[in-house]
Amino acid sequence: MRFPFRFRSPRAARPGRGRRPTYGSWLASTLIGASVTHLPDSGDGALVLVLAGEFDSGTMAPFRRALADAQSARAARTIIDVSGVVYADSGLLRLLVQASRRLPRFTVAGPLPPQLRRLLELSGAAGTLRITPDIEAARRA
């Protein structure tokens, strides 16, 4: 007998089964989760952190540690490159806003991914953060 609906077994309901991966999760798995890279000093006193991948509550720890290190390093300016962020939730937004209050001359460098731009605009954080089109513009600001 055929049913007019799709019957799902309990096995298919388990995480990772029966779900099609989204583009963001596929790309993030290609990038091996979330990564935070510290760029070498270019002599201008700026500490540059490059974010890549998906940032949610489970992958925020490396970025949290990098911000703590930036605060203890007492750099003249801190630049966060978010052009490689595939997905961000409110946890990343909260850390960016907190860092802008704690770190001197804090700048978010783009280009901003569409999902992150929308998150910043909907939350109102786009008006409080210093956002530049790229790292070079952030170094000049």
Side-chain angles (χ1 to χ4, degrees), residues 55-72:
F55 286 86
D56 57 14
S57 61
T59 59
M60 207 64 68
F63 184 48
R64 192 175 290 116
R65 281 192 302 270
L67 287 175
D69 293 345
Q71 191 171 4
S72 64

mmCIF file of all heavy atoms in Angstrom, residues 55-72:
data_model
loop_
_atom_site.group_PDB
_atom_site.id
_atom_site.type_symbol
_atom_site.label_atom_id
_atom_site.label_comp_id
_atom_site.label_asym_id
_atom_site.label_seq_id
_atom_site.Cartn_x
_atom_site.Cartn_y
_atom_site.Cartn_z
ATOM 1 N N PHE A 55 30.205 30.442 12.528
ATOM 2 C CA PHE A 55 30.389 30.833 13.921
ATOM 3 C C PHE A 55 29.051 30.776 14.636
ATOM 4 O O PHE A 55 28.158 31.572 14.381
ATOM 5 C CB PHE A 55 30.996 32.239 14.014
ATOM 6 C CG PHE A 55 32.439 32.255 13.652
ATOM 7 C CD1 PHE A 55 32.829 32.388 12.332
ATOM 8 C CD2 PHE A 55 33.408 32.096 14.615
ATOM 9 C CE1 PHE A 55 34.163 32.382 11.984
ATOM 10 C CE2 PHE A 55 34.752 32.086 14.281
ATOM 11 C CZ PHE A 55 35.126 32.232 12.963
ATOM 12 N N ASP A 56 28.937 29.797 15.525
ATOM 13 C CA ASP A 56 27.755 29.653 16.363
ATOM 14 C C ASP A 56 28.233 29.329 17.772
ATOM 15 O O ASP A 56 29.421 29.404 18.054
ATOM 16 C CB ASP A 56 26.790 28.602 15.811
ATOM 17 C CG ASP A 56 27.432 27.238 15.644
ATOM 18 O OD1 ASP A 56 28.538 27.019 16.185
ATOM 19 O OD2 ASP A 56 26.837 26.389 14.975
ATOM 20 N N SER A 57 27.329 28.975 18.645
ATOM 21 C CA SER A 57 27.700 28.750 20.042
ATOM 22 C C SER A 57 28.742 27.645 20.214
ATOM 23 O O SER A 57 29.533 27.681 21.149
ATOM 24 C CB SER A 57 26.461 28.438 20.874
ATOM 25 O OG SER A 57 25.848 27.264 20.387
ATOM 26 N N GLY A 58 28.764 26.681 19.318
ATOM 27 C CA GLY A 58 29.716 25.584 19.431
ATOM 28 C C GLY A 58 31.090 25.866 18.868
ATOM 29 O O GLY A 58 32.044 25.150 19.144
ATOM 30 N N THR A 59 31.227 26.919 18.075
ATOM 31 C CA THR A 59 32.509 27.191 17.418
ATOM 32 C C THR A 59 33.064 28.565 17.772
ATOM 33 O O THR A 59 33.966 29.052 17.096
ATOM 34 C CB THR A 59 32.357 27.103 15.891
ATOM 35 O OG1 THR A 59 31.377 28.053 15.464
ATOM 36 C CG2 THR A 59 31.967 25.718 15.456
ATOM 37 N N MET A 60 32.556 29.182 18.836
ATOM 38 C CA MET A 60 32.958 30.540 19.184
ATOM 39 C C MET A 60 34.231 30.607 20.029
ATOM 40 O O MET A 60 34.855 31.654 20.133
ATOM 41 C CB MET A 60 31.808 31.201 19.946
ATOM 42 C CG MET A 60 31.770 32.674 19.822
ATOM 43 S SD MET A 60 31.483 33.265 18.166
ATOM 44 C CE MET A 60 29.819 32.750 17.915
ATOM 45 N N ALA A 61 34.649 29.515 20.626
ATOM 46 C CA ALA A 61 35.777 29.533 21.567
ATOM 47 C C ALA A 61 37.082 30.067 20.968
ATOM 48 O O ALA A 61 37.752 30.878 21.617
ATOM 49 C CB ALA A 61 35.990 28.148 22.155
ATOM 50 N N PRO A 62 37.493 29.673 19.747
ATOM 51 C CA PRO A 62 38.746 30.217 19.212
ATOM 52 C C PRO A 62 38.705 31.737 19.045
ATOM 53 O O PRO A 62 39.689 32.423 19.320
ATOM 54 C CB PRO A 62 38.900 29.524 17.860
ATOM 55 C CG PRO A 62 38.059 28.312 17.925
ATOM 56 C CD PRO A 62 36.940 28.640 18.863
ATOM 57 N N PHE A 63 37.568 32.256 18.623
ATOM 58 C CA PHE A 63 37.452 33.707 18.461
ATOM 59 C C PHE A 63 37.463 34.401 19.815
ATOM 60 O O PHE A 63 38.080 35.452 19.985
ATOM 61 C CB PHE A 63 36.192 34.057 17.674
ATOM 62 C CG PHE A 63 36.042 35.524 17.386
ATOM 63 C CD1 PHE A 63 37.095 36.264 16.865
ATOM 64 C CD2 PHE A 63 34.848 36.169 17.625
ATOM 65 C CE1 PHE A 63 36.959 37.618 16.601
ATOM 66 C CE2 PHE A 63 34.694 37.515 17.357
ATOM 67 C CZ PHE A 63 35.757 38.245 16.847
ATOM 68 N N ARG A 64 36.817 33.814 20.802
ATOM 69 C CA ARG A 64 36.807 34.378 22.153
ATOM 70 C C ARG A 64 38.235 34.439 22.709
ATOM 71 O O ARG A 64 38.647 35.444 23.298
ATOM 72 C CB ARG A 64 35.903 33.530 23.049
ATOM 73 C CG ARG A 64 35.582 34.159 24.367
ATOM 74 C CD ARG A 64 34.583 33.345 25.182
ATOM 75 N NE ARG A 64 33.254 33.394 24.569
ATOM 76 C CZ ARG A 64 32.623 32.324 24.065
ATOM 77 N NH1 ARG A 64 33.178 31.134 24.126
ATOM 78 N NH2 ARG A 64 31.432 32.437 23.532
ATOM 79 N N ARG A 65 39.005 33.352 22.504
ATOM 80 C CA ARG A 65 40.407 33.335 22.964
ATOM 81 C C ARG A 65 41.248 34.366 22.220
ATOM 82 O O ARG A 65 42.097 35.039 22.811
ATOM 83 C CB ARG A 65 40.999 31.945 22.779
ATOM 84 C CG ARG A 65 40.600 30.957 23.852
ATOM 85 C CD ARG A 65 41.435 29.690 23.785
ATOM 86 N NE ARG A 65 41.336 29.017 22.497
ATOM 87 C CZ ARG A 65 40.439 28.090 22.183
ATOM 88 N NH1 ARG A 65 39.562 27.717 23.091
ATOM 89 N NH2 ARG A 65 40.428 27.532 20.996
ATOM 90 N N ALA A 66 41.030 34.491 20.919
ATOM 91 C CA ALA A 66 41.799 35.460 20.122
ATOM 92 C C ALA A 66 41.514 36.891 20.575
ATOM 93 O O ALA A 66 42.428 37.726 20.621
ATOM 94 C CB ALA A 66 41.473 35.286 18.644
ATOM 95 N N LEU A 67 40.273 37.188 20.918
ATOM 96 C CA LEU A 67 39.949 38.527 21.417
ATOM 97 C C LEU A 67 40.581 38.782 22.779
ATOM 98 O O LEU A 67 41.037 39.890 23.057
ATOM 99 C CB LEU A 67 38.431 38.711 21.488
ATOM 100 C CG LEU A 67 37.721 38.884 20.156
ATOM 101 C CD1 LEU A 67 36.218 38.936 20.363
ATOM 102 C CD2 LEU A 67 38.208 40.114 19.425
ATOM 103 N N ALA A 68 40.621 37.769 23.631
ATOM 104 C CA ALA A 68 41.279 37.922 24.933
ATOM 105 C C ALA A 68 42.767 38.170 24.743
ATOM 106 O O ALA A 68 43.361 39.012 25.431
ATOM 107 C CB ALA A 68 41.042 36.682 25.786
ATOM 108 N N ASP A 69 43.383 37.460 23.804
ATOM 109 C CA ASP A 69 44.800 37.685 23.502
ATOM 110 C C ASP A 69 45.025 39.086 22.946
ATOM 111 O O ASP A 69 46.023 39.736 23.251
ATOM 112 C CB ASP A 69 45.317 36.645 22.509
ATOM 113 C CG ASP A 69 45.361 35.242 23.094
ATOM 114 O OD1 ASP A 69 45.273 35.112 24.340
ATOM 115 O OD2 ASP A 69 45.451 34.275 22.308
ATOM 116 N N ALA A 70 44.113 39.560 22.112
ATOM 117 C CA ALA A 70 44.229 40.904 21.545
ATOM 118 C C ALA A 70 44.148 41.959 22.632
ATOM 119 O O ALA A 70 44.863 42.960 22.589
ATOM 120 C CB ALA A 70 43.134 41.127 20.503
ATOM 121 N N GLN A 71 43.281 41.727 23.609
ATOM 122 C CA GLN A 71 43.151 42.686 24.700
ATOM 123 C C GLN A 71 44.412 42.713 25.551
ATOM 124 O O GLN A 71 44.870 43.772 25.963
ATOM 125 C CB GLN A 71 41.940 42.350 25.553
ATOM 126 C CG GLN A 71 41.588 43.433 26.536
ATOM 127 C CD GLN A 71 40.257 43.183 27.210
ATOM 128 O OE1 GLN A 71 39.624 42.149 27.002
ATOM 129 N NE2 GLN A 71 39.810 44.119 28.014
ATOM 130 N N SER A 72 45.016 41.560 25.782
ATOM 131 C CA SER A 72 46.242 41.530 26.585
ATOM 132 C C SER A 72 47.454 42.019 25.801
ATOM 133 O O SER A 72 48.419 42.489 26.387
ATOM 134 C CB SER A 72 46.494 40.120 27.119
ATOM 135 O OG SER A 72 46.721 39.228 26.057
#
